[in-house]
Amino acid sequence: MALRTSALSAFMAKELRHILRDRQTLVILLLLPLAMVVLFGFALRTEVNDIRTVFVDPVPDYATTALRNRFLGNGRFDLVADAATVAAVEPLFRRGDADVAVVFEPGFASRVAAGMPAQVLIISDASDPNTGSRMQAYARAVTASYQAELGSAGGGVRIVTQTRMRFNPSLESVNLFVPGLIALVLTLVTALMTAISLSREKERGTLEILLVSPLRPWQIIVGKVLPYLGLAFANVLTALLAAWIIFDIPFRGSITLLLLTSTLYAMVGLALGVFIAARTNSQRAAMLGAMAGTMLPTTLLSGMIFPIASLPGWLQPVTLVIPARWFIIIARGIMLKGVGVQYLWEPIAVLAVMLVVLMLVAIRSFKPRLA
Amino acid sequence: MTLAIDVHELTRRFGSFTAVDSITFHVDEGEVFGFLGANGAGKTTAIKMLIGLLAPTSGRASVAGFDVLTQAEQVRRHIGYMSQRFSLYDDLTVRENITLYGGIYGLSDAQIRERGDALIRDLQLGKAADERVSALPLGWKQKLAFSVAVLHQPAVVFLDEPTGGVDPITRRQFWEMIYAAAARGTTVFVTTHYLDEAEYCDRVSIMVDGRIAAMGTPDELKRGNDVATLDELFVRLARPDDGSGATAGPSAAPGRS
């Protein structure tokens, strides 16, 4: 019907004007993904560089020298000293002059050649446990790759426990952050902004006028959220572009699939925003509700920064209801692994179900009649 | 003559509290009907039931010939509403607000332009037409809000305390606009606290504790109750001498609650 469409488009035009007219907010929202990618990318890296390294190599041979060169050529490890014994390393640690010590056992090369376990001891300063285990992981990656190289030539070489780090062998944390950042930015513009803008209408009394008008509740909701969906789309592209230009982050999968799934995730956020606005009575309450109900879980419980596996056991099941958790699986899958729908249908289905449920709840709690 | 509003034993309870207690009245087409009552008397609850924001507990009501319960959508199409709170968007211009509400009520672009121009001319908004509404003085805002509420020429317009906080001259202009709308055939249902305004109405009802305590033309009410002004009648009805004077304030203050 012509009348309905024009009512809806009149409403959307008004919504668009609100967004475009509030210049400050608009600029902030548009620049946000850029700022976040830069901030998270540079400042919040969990990776560690410039690791001050001590080598303890009592009887140097070709294998220890080769391995040592691997360490120093890796880019993360810097030589600070050579120590004669393990005991001599101790004071360096205590003074804080060294982060990692790499200790080779005597006869390393001959043990390697004989196919016997050749041991490398990696000692790291774990006063900061995260940094400590990171440095361990980097060191293990170096020895593992050396072992693999020797193994492919000779076979039966055993140096250290093998660790496998596919997809992000360089452990670039920024790669892992970008999908999470997209989730965070989307949550912000969808859930938070819709909640604020809808509760503003409620607070000012204009919502009452809209509810008395021929506009139907779903038209109000659609008119409210569609402009923000457009903004969300722009944000995803900005974040991807920033990640690609500044950090040279690989994009292995289908960009269409990522944009489609981002839209799905954005719609979940919009439904959440509508729900929050329907249940709160002021802009302030809606804002706090959106912060506590969407931003915090997205940051802390989605696996964006803290791996879900490292959360306490009772908290892990809670993450199942966090939409961002599923979106991050999808986005990482597409961006870092380059996989398609056949591997991602499960998280996509979860998001779709969440969307349907939230939409129903949102429209229900948004009934024009108050009782 | 068709009835613009027909209300029969309309009741609304909130738990054990009865906000509107079986009210029955009707408003004729083209009438200016004053709906008076102290704060908490049940006026707003009654209006909300008539415009479809609140479901009645019992009783029935029709507006513009449509049942408020079963034909809510039709009702919404045929009414205009101006709430106590300012109902336009501050960050939009005068013209954008007109376009918005015209569009929502299904006016064509040509109608919106035509009626919008007439409205801007009548209100002498001229240069302010493309300024944000937030820049207008309160009186103009209220007049604009009213004009926008009747832009689609509804059968009935509901005005909930439209002249609150407005100076006397603007109030007078406002009432001229109400008469003009009534002359165009729009029935006006208005609540007010200003009892001098009640005198401008064709008929008034006075609500006390959820019931209609008096109803009629201003003259009928004054003569029938032997009072000089509606003000006097209002105070007598709103504060009956039932011995519980505890809630009544100093009796010297003429009631304008």
Side-chain angles (χ1 to χ4, degrees):
Chain A
M1 278 205 260
L3 188 141
R4 296 257 172 80
T5 29
S6 77
L8 181 58
S9 56
F11 185 71
M12 279 198 309
K14 158 235 171 212
E15 212 51 52
L16 214 59
R17 287 210 175 93
H18 284 317
I19 294 175
L20 294 178
R21 199 142 294 177
D22 189 354
R23 280 287 150 75
Q24 286 184 335
T25 311
L26 183 65
V27 168
I28 292 174
L29 286 179
L30 285 177
L31 291 182
L32 194 72
L34 189 65
M36 282 220 205
V37 168
V38 171
L39 273 179
F40 274 74
F42 283 119
L44 287 180
R45 282 182 183 211
T46 54
E47 70 206 66
V48 187
N49 284 310
D50 306 326
I51 303 169
R52 291 160 304 168
T53 313
V54 183
F55 288 95
V56 183
D57 190 2
V59 191
D61 54 42
Y62 75 89
T64 61
T65 312
L67 200 44
R68 177 192 166 109
N69 288 339
R70 290 299 156 93
F71 270 99
L72 297 177
N74 168 281
R76 296 191 193 279
F77 297 91
D78 295 336
L79 175 69
V80 289
D82 279 294
T85 62
V86 176
V89 175
E90 201 56 27
L92 293 171
F93 271 132
R94 281 177 195 269
R95 282 204 304 271
D97 287 343
D99 300 313
V100 160
V102 180
V103 186
F104 298 102
E105 76 173 315
F108 192 85
S110 52
R111 291 181 76 90
V112 167
M116 285 167 18
Q119 292 190 43
V120 185
L121 173 64
I122 292 153
I123 311 168
S124 63
D125 176 0
S127 51
D128 175 348
N130 277 331
T131 315
S133 59
R134 284 262 159 195
M135 294 186 299
Q136 289 270 6
Y138 293 142
R140 248 180 282 137
V142 172
T143 56
S145 79
Y146 181 59
Q147 165 176 280
E149 201 176 302
L150 288 180
S152 66
V157 176
R158 279 180 283 163
I159 300 179
V160 282
T161 3
Q162 194 182 340
T163 52
R164 200 194 300 173
M165 279 163 285
R166 281 184 66 203
F167 308 126
N168 194 12
S170 54
L171 287 177
E172 286 276 0
S173 48
V174 70
N175 287 5
L176 286 171
F177 272 136
V178 170
L181 279 180
I182 294 177
L184 191 62
V185 173
L186 281 180
T187 311
L188 194 96
V189 295
T190 58
L192 186 65
M193 293 312 293
T194 338
I196 290 177
S197 119
L198 201 50
S199 60
R200 182 196 293 141
E201 301 243 13
K202 216 167 159 179
E203 204 171 271
R204 298 238 178 111
T206 44
L207 186 62
E208 210 176 70
I209 306 291
L210 295 176
L211 289 174
V212 172
S213 82
L215 276 178
R216 288 151 163 255
W218 71 263
Q219 289 178 312
I220 298 178
I221 291 180
V222 168
K224 207 58 180 154
V225 303
L226 268 187
Y228 284 105
L229 202 57
L231 199 56
F233 221 74
N235 279 328
V236 173
L237 290 174
T238 315
L240 285 179
L241 222 59
W244 181 58
I245 293 171
I246 305 174
F247 294 106
D248 201 19
I249 286 172
F251 194 95
R252 301 198 169 94
S254 149
I255 186 133
T256 318
L257 184 61
L258 184 70
L259 289 178
L260 282 176
T261 48
S262 298
T263 309
L264 176 65
Y265 177 71
M267 282 161 73
V268 173
L270 293 166
L272 256 174
V274 171
F275 175 70
I276 290 168
R279 288 299 164 97
T280 49
N281 289 319
S282 70
Q283 277 189 72
R284 193 175 305 202
M287 202 168 113
L288 287 174
M291 285 284 196
T294 64
M295 299 298 289
L296 276 183
T298 301
T299 321
L300 301 176
L301 299 179
S302 66
M304 171 193 176
I305 299 175
F306 309 109
I308 290 166
S310 68
L311 296 174
W314 61 269
L315 201 53
Q316 290 187 21
V318 176
T319 64
L320 294 175
V321 299
I322 312 289
R325 175 202 164 130
W326 302 100
F327 177 70
I328 287 176
I329 294 176
I330 298 170
R332 282 183 182 164
I334 297 172
M335 292 176 63
L336 305 178
K337 301 186 198 173
V339 297
V341 183
Q342 64 272 31
Y343 292 102
L344 298 172
W345 65 269
E346 205 180 62
I348 291 176
V350 172
L351 281 184
V353 170
M354 282 181 172
L355 176 64
V356 171
V357 172
L358 279 170
M359 276 292 208
L360 288 178
V361 175
I363 292 189
R364 182 171 289 255
S365 56
F366 197 68
K367 283 225 161 154
R369 287 184 191 276
L370 302 174
Chain B
M1 198 182 225
T2 344
L3 296 180
I5 301 174
D6 190 10
V7 175
H8 191 72
E9 291 179 356
L10 195 65
T11 301
R12 172 69 205 203
R13 289 190 201 91
F14 295 100
S16 61
F17 172 68
T18 306
V20 172
D21 190 0
S22 189
I23 57 173
T24 299
F25 67 94
H26 68 267
V27 179
D28 288 327
E29 223 168 57
E31 220 180 349
V32 177
F33 188 80
F35 200 59
L36 314 184
N39 287 333
K43 283 176 306 186
T44 301
T45 306
I47 284 202
K48 281 191 169 173
M49 286 191 279
L50 293 180
I51 61 178
L53 281 180
L54 200 61
T57 309
S58 65
R60 59 184 170 74
S62 70
V63 172
F66 301 103
D67 189 283
V68 294
L69 203 57
T70 58
Q71 296 170 295
E73 203 183 318
Q74 292 291 342
V75 170
R76 283 204 273 271
R77 235 168 250 289
H78 290 89
I79 60 171
Y81 173 50
M82 181 178 165
S83 74
Q84 289 178 22
R85 288 187 283 175
F86 181 60
S87 47
L88 300 178
Y89 291 95
D90 262 340
D91 59 337
L92 301 185
T93 68
V94 172
R95 216 178 270 280
E96 285 165 351
N97 270 290
I98 294 170
T99 309
L100 167 67
Y101 283 107
I104 287 178
Y105 280 93
L107 300 188
S108 70
D109 289 352
Q111 281 174 316
I112 292 173
R113 211 174 315 116
E114 198 179 300
R115 293 186 196 178
D117 286 345
L119 187 163
I120 288 165
R121 200 173 47 240
D122 291 348
L123 291 182
Q124 294 165 358
L125 280 169
K127 272 179 279 173
D130 292 310
E131 272 178 42
R132 293 188 191 189
V133 165
S134 54
L136 296 182
L138 180 68
W140 275 13
K141 281 188 188 177
Q142 296 293 80
K143 286 191 281 184
L144 179 62
F146 174 76
S147 304
V148 168
V150 296
L151 188 73
H152 58 295
Q153 298 175 349
V156 185
V157 64
F158 291 86
L159 310 173
D160 198 359
E161 289 171 22
T163 53
V166 166
D167 67 72
I169 295 166
T170 310
R171 264 168 62 197
R172 182 162 283 276
Q173 293 169 338
F174 198 92
W175 275 89
E176 280 163 13
M177 293 171 66
I178 289 180
Y179 281 136
R184 283 194 303 268
T186 294
T187 305
V188 179
F189 186 94
V190 56
T191 75
T192 179
H193 279 167
Y194 301 107
L195 290 159
D196 58 321
E197 284 187 357
E199 308 263 2
Y200 301 152
C201 298
D202 295 327
R203 277 194 309 141
V204 297
S205 74
I206 299 177
M207 227 178 148
V208 178
D209 293 337
R211 293 172 163 276
I212 291 180
M215 183 155 52
T217 67
D219 279 342
E220 281 169 8
L221 286 180
K222 281 185 280 189
R223 259 183 284 119
N225 292 283
D226 200 23
V227 289
T229 61
L230 282 179
D231 206 290
E232 216 178 315
L233 174 64
F234 184 85
V235 174
R236 191 199 293 171
L237 289 171
R239 293 180 186 155
D241 279 330
D242 57 358
S244 66
T247 53
S251 58
R256 183 165 291 180
S257 56

PDB file of all heavy atoms in Angstrom, chain B residues 17 23-25 43 56 79 81 90 97 131 142 144 160 165 191 196-197 202 213 217 231 237 245 248 252-253:
ATOM      1  N   PHE B  17      -6.926  -0.144  42.434  1.00  0.00           N
ATOM      2  CA  PHE B  17      -7.250   1.263  42.252  1.00  0.00           C
ATOM      3  C   PHE B  17      -8.035   1.467  40.964  1.00  0.00           C
ATOM      4  O   PHE B  17      -7.638   1.002  39.890  1.00  0.00           O
ATOM      5  CB  PHE B  17      -5.950   2.079  42.207  1.00  0.00           C
ATOM      6  CG  PHE B  17      -6.153   3.510  41.826  1.00  0.00           C
ATOM      7  CD1 PHE B  17      -6.823   4.386  42.672  1.00  0.00           C
ATOM      8  CD2 PHE B  17      -5.669   3.989  40.606  1.00  0.00           C
ATOM      9  CE1 PHE B  17      -7.008   5.715  42.317  1.00  0.00           C
ATOM     10  CE2 PHE B  17      -5.850   5.315  40.248  1.00  0.00           C
ATOM     11  CZ  PHE B  17      -6.521   6.177  41.113  1.00  0.00           C
ATOM     12  N   ILE B  23     -17.381   5.646  33.263  1.00  0.00           N
ATOM     13  CA  ILE B  23     -17.841   6.939  32.745  1.00  0.00           C
ATOM     14  C   ILE B  23     -18.637   6.739  31.448  1.00  0.00           C
ATOM     15  O   ILE B  23     -18.332   5.865  30.650  1.00  0.00           O
ATOM     16  CB  ILE B  23     -16.681   7.937  32.495  1.00  0.00           C
ATOM     17  CG1 ILE B  23     -15.635   7.368  31.542  1.00  0.00           C
ATOM     18  CG2 ILE B  23     -16.026   8.322  33.812  1.00  0.00           C
ATOM     19  CD1 ILE B  23     -14.563   8.386  31.141  1.00  0.00           C
ATOM     20  N   THR B  24     -19.662   7.538  31.279  1.00  0.00           N
ATOM     21  CA  THR B  24     -20.492   7.489  30.087  1.00  0.00           C
ATOM     22  C   THR B  24     -20.701   8.923  29.594  1.00  0.00           C
ATOM     23  O   THR B  24     -21.120   9.789  30.372  1.00  0.00           O
ATOM     24  CB  THR B  24     -21.858   6.859  30.406  1.00  0.00           C
ATOM     25  OG1 THR B  24     -21.645   5.522  30.862  1.00  0.00           O
ATOM     26  CG2 THR B  24     -22.754   6.846  29.172  1.00  0.00           C
ATOM     27  N   PHE B  25     -20.357   9.167  28.354  1.00  0.00           N
ATOM     28  CA  PHE B  25     -20.632  10.484  27.774  1.00  0.00           C
ATOM     29  C   PHE B  25     -20.479  10.389  26.260  1.00  0.00           C
ATOM     30  O   PHE B  25     -20.005   9.386  25.734  1.00  0.00           O
ATOM     31  CB  PHE B  25     -19.697  11.568  28.332  1.00  0.00           C
ATOM     32  CG  PHE B  25     -18.246  11.406  27.938  1.00  0.00           C
ATOM     33  CD1 PHE B  25     -17.732  12.073  26.818  1.00  0.00           C
ATOM     34  CD2 PHE B  25     -17.398  10.603  28.672  1.00  0.00           C
ATOM     35  CE1 PHE B  25     -16.400  11.931  26.447  1.00  0.00           C
ATOM     36  CE2 PHE B  25     -16.064  10.462  28.315  1.00  0.00           C
ATOM     37  CZ  PHE B  25     -15.568  11.117  27.214  1.00  0.00           C
ATOM     38  N   LYS B  43      -8.240  11.911  34.073  1.00  0.00           N
ATOM     39  CA  LYS B  43      -8.360  12.458  32.719  1.00  0.00           C
ATOM     40  C   LYS B  43      -7.413  11.769  31.748  1.00  0.00           C
ATOM     41  O   LYS B  43      -7.814  11.323  30.680  1.00  0.00           O
ATOM     42  CB  LYS B  43      -7.996  13.955  32.714  1.00  0.00           C
ATOM     43  CG  LYS B  43      -9.047  14.864  33.255  1.00  0.00           C
ATOM     44  CD  LYS B  43      -8.489  16.273  33.272  1.00  0.00           C
ATOM     45  CE  LYS B  43      -7.184  16.289  34.029  1.00  0.00           C
ATOM     46  NZ  LYS B  43      -6.564  17.540  34.258  1.00  0.00           N
ATOM     47  N   PRO B  56      -9.130  -0.669  27.961  1.00  0.00           N
ATOM     48  CA  PRO B  56     -10.088  -0.519  29.054  1.00  0.00           C
ATOM     49  C   PRO B  56     -10.246  -1.838  29.812  1.00  0.00           C
ATOM     50  O   PRO B  56     -10.065  -2.911  29.233  1.00  0.00           O
ATOM     51  CB  PRO B  56     -11.398  -0.177  28.346  1.00  0.00           C
ATOM     52  CG  PRO B  56     -11.082  -0.004  26.902  1.00  0.00           C
ATOM     53  CD  PRO B  56      -9.767  -0.636  26.642  1.00  0.00           C
ATOM     54  N   ILE B  79      -7.632  10.255  14.030  1.00  0.00           N
ATOM     55  CA  ILE B  79      -7.490  11.204  15.133  1.00  0.00           C
ATOM     56  C   ILE B  79      -6.162  11.945  15.050  1.00  0.00           C
ATOM     57  O   ILE B  79      -5.238  11.521  14.360  1.00  0.00           O
ATOM     58  CB  ILE B  79      -7.579  10.509  16.517  1.00  0.00           C
ATOM     59  CG1 ILE B  79      -6.472   9.472  16.669  1.00  0.00           C
ATOM     60  CG2 ILE B  79      -8.950   9.894  16.718  1.00  0.00           C
ATOM     61  CD1 ILE B  79      -6.353   8.907  18.069  1.00  0.00           C
ATOM     62  N   TYR B  81      -3.400  13.977  17.895  1.00  0.00           N
ATOM     63  CA  TYR B  81      -3.141  13.951  19.333  1.00  0.00           C
ATOM     64  C   TYR B  81      -1.999  14.909  19.657  1.00  0.00           C
ATOM     65  O   TYR B  81      -0.964  14.905  19.002  1.00  0.00           O
ATOM     66  CB  TYR B  81      -2.786  12.521  19.756  1.00  0.00           C
ATOM     67  CG  TYR B  81      -2.336  12.362  21.191  1.00  0.00           C
ATOM     68  CD1 TYR B  81      -3.071  12.890  22.249  1.00  0.00           C
ATOM     69  CD2 TYR B  81      -1.165  11.662  21.491  1.00  0.00           C
ATOM     70  CE1 TYR B  81      -2.662  12.725  23.565  1.00  0.00           C
ATOM     71  CE2 TYR B  81      -0.749  11.487  22.796  1.00  0.00           C
ATOM     72  CZ  TYR B  81      -1.502  12.014  23.835  1.00  0.00           C
ATOM     73  OH  TYR B  81      -1.094  11.847  25.132  1.00  0.00           O
ATOM     74  N   ASP B  90      12.854  18.501  18.226  1.00  0.00           N
ATOM     75  CA  ASP B  90      13.644  19.722  18.403  1.00  0.00           C
ATOM     76  C   ASP B  90      14.758  19.874  17.379  1.00  0.00           C
ATOM     77  O   ASP B  90      15.094  20.981  16.993  1.00  0.00           O
ATOM     78  CB  ASP B  90      14.286  19.711  19.800  1.00  0.00           C
ATOM     79  CG  ASP B  90      13.465  20.541  20.772  1.00  0.00           C
ATOM     80  OD1 ASP B  90      12.676  21.378  20.292  1.00  0.00           O
ATOM     81  OD2 ASP B  90      13.628  20.366  21.985  1.00  0.00           O
ATOM     82  N   ASN B  97       9.496  18.771  10.364  1.00  0.00           N
ATOM     83  CA  ASN B  97       8.481  18.200  11.248  1.00  0.00           C
ATOM     84  C   ASN B  97       7.153  18.048  10.515  1.00  0.00           C
ATOM     85  O   ASN B  97       6.459  17.036  10.649  1.00  0.00           O
ATOM     86  CB  ASN B  97       8.293  19.089  12.481  1.00  0.00           C
ATOM     87  CG  ASN B  97       9.223  18.705  13.622  1.00  0.00           C
ATOM     88  OD1 ASN B  97       9.060  17.656  14.227  1.00  0.00           O
ATOM     89  ND2 ASN B  97      10.200  19.554  13.898  1.00  0.00           N
ATOM     90  N   GLU B 131      14.329  26.756  10.153  1.00  0.00           N
ATOM     91  CA  GLU B 131      15.152  26.705  11.360  1.00  0.00           C
ATOM     92  C   GLU B 131      14.705  25.555  12.228  1.00  0.00           C
ATOM     93  O   GLU B 131      13.575  25.090  12.150  1.00  0.00           O
ATOM     94  CB  GLU B 131      15.009  28.018  12.138  1.00  0.00           C
ATOM     95  CG  GLU B 131      16.003  29.061  11.683  1.00  0.00           C
ATOM     96  CD  GLU B 131      15.802  30.359  12.444  1.00  0.00           C
ATOM     97  OE1 GLU B 131      15.590  30.280  13.666  1.00  0.00           O
ATOM     98  OE2 GLU B 131      15.842  31.412  11.798  1.00  0.00           O
ATOM     99  N   GLN B 142       4.056  25.559  20.677  1.00  0.00           N
ATOM    100  CA  GLN B 142       2.765  24.946  20.997  1.00  0.00           C
ATOM    101  C   GLN B 142       1.785  25.108  19.840  1.00  0.00           C
ATOM    102  O   GLN B 142       1.062  24.193  19.490  1.00  0.00           O
ATOM    103  CB  GLN B 142       2.170  25.578  22.266  1.00  0.00           C
ATOM    104  CG  GLN B 142       2.979  25.350  23.521  1.00  0.00           C
ATOM    105  CD  GLN B 142       3.006  23.902  23.941  1.00  0.00           C
ATOM    106  OE1 GLN B 142       3.768  23.108  23.401  1.00  0.00           O
ATOM    107  NE2 GLN B 142       2.158  23.541  24.908  1.00  0.00           N
ATOM    108  N   LEU B 144       2.548  25.508  16.758  1.00  0.00           N
ATOM    109  CA  LEU B 144       3.014  24.648  15.674  1.00  0.00           C
ATOM    110  C   LEU B 144       2.615  23.198  15.935  1.00  0.00           C
ATOM    111  O   LEU B 144       2.146  22.501  15.033  1.00  0.00           O
ATOM    112  CB  LEU B 144       4.536  24.775  15.540  1.00  0.00           C
ATOM    113  CG  LEU B 144       5.185  23.918  14.456  1.00  0.00           C
ATOM    114  CD1 LEU B 144       4.672  24.297  13.081  1.00  0.00           C
ATOM    115  CD2 LEU B 144       6.705  24.046  14.502  1.00  0.00           C
ATOM    116  N   ASP B 160      -4.151  17.354  25.164  1.00  0.00           N
ATOM    117  CA  ASP B 160      -3.972  17.126  26.591  1.00  0.00           C
ATOM    118  C   ASP B 160      -3.211  18.311  27.188  1.00  0.00           C
ATOM    119  O   ASP B 160      -2.002  18.430  27.008  1.00  0.00           O
ATOM    120  CB  ASP B 160      -3.205  15.811  26.800  1.00  0.00           C
ATOM    121  CG  ASP B 160      -3.374  15.289  28.218  1.00  0.00           C
ATOM    122  OD1 ASP B 160      -4.062  15.951  29.018  1.00  0.00           O
ATOM    123  OD2 ASP B 160      -2.809  14.222  28.523  1.00  0.00           O
ATOM    124  N   GLY B 165       1.845  26.649  30.513  1.00  0.00           N
ATOM    125  CA  GLY B 165       3.054  27.467  30.484  1.00  0.00           C
ATOM    126  C   GLY B 165       3.089  28.489  29.364  1.00  0.00           C
ATOM    127  O   GLY B 165       4.145  29.014  29.028  1.00  0.00           O
ATOM    128  N   THR B 191      -8.317  18.820  27.328  1.00  0.00           N
ATOM    129  CA  THR B 191      -8.253  18.901  28.784  1.00  0.00           C
ATOM    130  C   THR B 191      -7.499  20.173  29.140  1.00  0.00           C
ATOM    131  O   THR B 191      -6.620  20.611  28.396  1.00  0.00           O
ATOM    132  CB  THR B 191      -7.495  17.717  29.413  1.00  0.00           C
ATOM    133  OG1 THR B 191      -6.098  17.902  29.193  1.00  0.00           O
ATOM    134  CG2 THR B 191      -7.935  16.407  28.818  1.00  0.00           C
ATOM    135  N   ASP B 196     -10.900  29.502  32.900  1.00  0.00           N
ATOM    136  CA  ASP B 196     -11.399  30.507  31.961  1.00  0.00           C
ATOM    137  C   ASP B 196     -11.451  29.913  30.558  1.00  0.00           C
ATOM    138  O   ASP B 196     -12.317  30.248  29.758  1.00  0.00           O
ATOM    139  CB  ASP B 196     -10.523  31.766  31.991  1.00  0.00           C
ATOM    140  CG  ASP B 196      -9.080  31.454  31.666  1.00  0.00           C
ATOM    141  OD1 ASP B 196      -8.579  30.393  32.111  1.00  0.00           O
ATOM    142  OD2 ASP B 196      -8.435  32.253  30.964  1.00  0.00           O
ATOM    143  N   GLU B 197     -10.539  28.996  30.280  1.00  0.00           N
ATOM    144  CA  GLU B 197     -10.554  28.329  28.975  1.00  0.00           C
ATOM    145  C   GLU B 197     -11.778  27.433  28.832  1.00  0.00           C
ATOM    146  O   GLU B 197     -12.310  27.263  27.740  1.00  0.00           O
ATOM    147  CB  GLU B 197      -9.295  27.479  28.782  1.00  0.00           C
ATOM    148  CG  GLU B 197      -8.072  28.297  28.476  1.00  0.00           C
ATOM    149  CD  GLU B 197      -6.890  27.409  28.128  1.00  0.00           C
ATOM    150  OE1 GLU B 197      -6.995  26.180  28.184  1.00  0.00           O
ATOM    151  OE2 GLU B 197      -5.839  27.983  27.821  1.00  0.00           O
ATOM    152  N   ASP B 202     -17.815  24.312  23.997  1.00  0.00           N
ATOM    153  CA  ASP B 202     -19.253  24.152  23.793  1.00  0.00           C
ATOM    154  C   ASP B 202     -19.853  23.443  25.009  1.00  0.00           C
ATOM    155  O   ASP B 202     -20.883  23.845  25.526  1.00  0.00           O
ATOM    156  CB  ASP B 202     -19.521  23.319  22.528  1.00  0.00           C
ATOM    157  CG  ASP B 202     -19.044  24.052  21.287  1.00  0.00           C
ATOM    158  OD1 ASP B 202     -19.109  25.294  21.283  1.00  0.00           O
ATOM    159  OD2 ASP B 202     -18.594  23.399  20.330  1.00  0.00           O
ATOM    160  N   ALA B 213     -18.459  14.133  37.438  1.00  0.00           N
ATOM    161  CA  ALA B 213     -19.280  14.727  38.490  1.00  0.00           C
ATOM    162  C   ALA B 213     -20.272  15.749  37.931  1.00  0.00           C
ATOM    163  O   ALA B 213     -21.311  16.008  38.532  1.00  0.00           O
ATOM    164  CB  ALA B 213     -18.392  15.382  39.541  1.00  0.00           C
ATOM    165  N   THR B 217     -23.233  22.491  29.138  1.00  0.00           N
ATOM    166  CA  THR B 217     -22.616  23.707  28.623  1.00  0.00           C
ATOM    167  C   THR B 217     -22.171  24.531  29.821  1.00  0.00           C
ATOM    168  O   THR B 217     -22.719  24.380  30.922  1.00  0.00           O
ATOM    169  CB  THR B 217     -23.615  24.532  27.787  1.00  0.00           C
ATOM    170  OG1 THR B 217     -24.630  25.009  28.672  1.00  0.00           O
ATOM    171  CG2 THR B 217     -24.250  23.695  26.689  1.00  0.00           C
ATOM    172  N   ASP B 231     -14.939  28.021  37.834  1.00  0.00           N
ATOM    173  CA  ASP B 231     -13.898  27.885  38.841  1.00  0.00           C
ATOM    174  C   ASP B 231     -14.487  27.482  40.196  1.00  0.00           C
ATOM    175  O   ASP B 231     -14.025  26.552  40.847  1.00  0.00           O
ATOM    176  CB  ASP B 231     -13.194  29.242  38.959  1.00  0.00           C
ATOM    177  CG  ASP B 231     -11.774  29.093  39.455  1.00  0.00           C
ATOM    178  OD1 ASP B 231     -11.608  28.755  40.635  1.00  0.00           O
ATOM    179  OD2 ASP B 231     -10.862  29.290  38.624  1.00  0.00           O
ATOM    180  N   LEU B 237     -16.640  20.822  43.583  1.00  0.00           N
ATOM    181  CA  LEU B 237     -16.722  19.405  43.221  1.00  0.00           C
ATOM    182  C   LEU B 237     -15.448  18.650  43.582  1.00  0.00           C
ATOM    183  O   LEU B 237     -15.477  17.522  44.050  1.00  0.00           O
ATOM    184  CB  LEU B 237     -16.978  19.257  41.716  1.00  0.00           C
ATOM    185  CG  LEU B 237     -18.360  19.647  41.223  1.00  0.00           C
ATOM    186  CD1 LEU B 237     -18.386  19.661  39.703  1.00  0.00           C
ATOM    187  CD2 LEU B 237     -19.404  18.688  41.767  1.00  0.00           C
ATOM    188  N   GLY B 245     -11.052  17.183  55.731  1.00  0.00           N
ATOM    189  CA  GLY B 245     -10.386  18.374  55.223  1.00  0.00           C
ATOM    190  C   GLY B 245      -8.879  18.250  55.221  1.00  0.00           C
ATOM    191  O   GLY B 245      -8.177  19.187  54.862  1.00  0.00           O
ATOM    192  N   ALA B 248      -7.228  18.925  51.896  1.00  0.00           N
ATOM    193  CA  ALA B 248      -7.476  20.213  51.267  1.00  0.00           C
ATOM    194  C   ALA B 248      -6.497  21.267  51.775  1.00  0.00           C
ATOM    195  O   ALA B 248      -6.204  21.343  52.957  1.00  0.00           O
ATOM    196  CB  ALA B 248      -8.903  20.669  51.549  1.00  0.00           C
ATOM    197  N   ALA B 252      -8.529  29.497  50.764  1.00  0.00           N
ATOM    198  CA  ALA B 252      -8.487  30.806  50.108  1.00  0.00           C
ATOM    199  C   ALA B 252      -7.985  30.699  48.670  1.00  0.00           C
ATOM    200  O   ALA B 252      -8.413  31.457  47.809  1.00  0.00           O
ATOM    201  CB  ALA B 252      -7.591  31.755  50.896  1.00  0.00           C
ATOM    202  N   ALA B 253      -7.076  29.726  48.440  1.00  0.00           N
ATOM    203  CA  ALA B 253      -6.497  29.622  47.106  1.00  0.00           C
ATOM    204  C   ALA B 253      -7.522  29.060  46.143  1.00  0.00           C
ATOM    205  O   ALA B 253      -7.950  27.933  46.278  1.00  0.00           O
ATOM    206  CB  ALA B 253      -5.273  28.724  47.137  1.00  0.00           C
TER     207      ALA B 253
END
